[in-house]
Amino acid sequence: MCRASTLTLPHGEVRTPVYMPVGTKGAMKALLSDTLSEVIDADIMLSNTYHLFLKPGESVLEQQGGLHKFMNYNRNILTDSGGF
């Protein structure tokens, strides 16, 4: 049995249960950020902090103004360490 709910986060609501696409290095292969938002209607996306640290690196993300701007994704992002 799953429970339906809505999480209210800083970049919008996340309807649960949720399909969370994984863009390990801040991007989905073969998909634009607009596609995630408008076509797939993904409320949240997962990225891997360790992989982002390796490439493109902290300085690039900082220069871009953070991960949301780097990805051009205005919805929620969940980051994890990937078990590191």
Side-chain angles (χ1 to χ4, degrees):
M1 173 185 230
C2 71
R3 299 192 186 258
S5 184
T6 302
L7 300 171
T8 302
L9 300 173
H11 290 274
E13 294 184 339
V14 177
R15 301 159 288 187
T16 66
V18 63
Y19 166 73
M20 192 179 314
V22 178
T24 303
K25 294 181 183 176
M28 290 289 302
K29 291 183 181 184
L31 289 179
L32 298 172
S33 296
D34 290 347
T35 303
L36 286 172
S37 299
E38 297 169 16
V39 177
I40 297 174
D41 197 25
D43 293 332
I44 191 167
M45 181 178 169
L46 177 71
S47 288
N48 182 286
T49 304
Y50 180 66
H51 290 142
L52 289 166
F53 168 74
L54 294 175
K55 188 176 182 181
E58 287 181 80
S59 61
V60 171
L61 293 174
E62 189 174 310
Q63 289 171 359
Q64 294 294 313
L67 185 55
H68 282 93
K69 289 184 180 177
F70 175 76
M71 293 172 56
N72 190 31
Y73 188 67
N74 294 323
R75 295 192 180 187
N76 295 290
I77 301 170
L78 173 71
T79 56
D80 76 343
S81 66
F84 175 70

